[in-house]
Amino acid sequence: MSETTDAPTTGGSLSTIERTREREAVEPGDAERFSHYVRKEKILESAMTGEPVIALCGKVWTPGRDPKKFPVCPACKEILDAAYGSDDPSAD
C-alpha cells in the first residue's frame, strides 16, 4: 500500500528570503529637493496606485519621502500664495 499526498516536498532543502528595507536617509543632492504642494486626494491615490502626481509648479514625481524633511518649493508657494493669499504674517 502506497501513500500519495498532494503537498509539495521540500527535499530537505532550505531557502532564504531576503528583505529589502527602504531607508529614508538624506542622500547627496537632497539639498536641491523640495516639498511640493499637491492635492491631498492625489497623494492618497498615488499611494494606492503608484501613479505619479503633478505639483502646482508642474513637477511630476511619485511621492515617497517625508515632505517635512525638505523646504517648501518656492514656485509652489508662490502659486499658492497668489491663489489664496499668503498666510505669512510678516508678508503684510
Side-chain angles (χ1 to χ4, degrees):
M1 176 197 283
S2 70
E3 293 181 28
T4 60
T5 60
D6 292 333
T9 59
T10 60
S13 66
L14 298 174
S15 63
T16 303
I17 298 173
E18 292 186 33
R19 292 185 190 175
T20 57
R21 186 164 62 169
E22 290 185 32
R23 292 178 42 195
E24 203 165 307
V26 176
E27 299 170 0
D30 278 350
E32 293 89 50
R33 295 183 187 208
F34 294 105
S35 295
H36 295 272
Y37 288 116
V38 177
R39 288 188 164 280
K40 186 183 284 187
E41 59 268 12
K42 293 295 183 182
I43 295 286
L44 295 173
E45 184 180 314
S46 175
M48 300 287 282
T49 65
E51 294 291 318
V53 295
I54 303 172
L56 286 177
C57 67
K59 178 177 172 79
V60 178
W61 87 106
T62 304
R65 296 179 180 267
D66 183 359
K68 294 175 187 163
K69 292 185 178 183
F70 301 97
V72 174
C73 168
C76 281
K77 180 155 179 43
E78 185 178 323
I79 293 166
L80 191 69
D81 288 348
Y84 297 103
S86 175
D87 52 328
D88 181 5
S90 64
D92 293 331

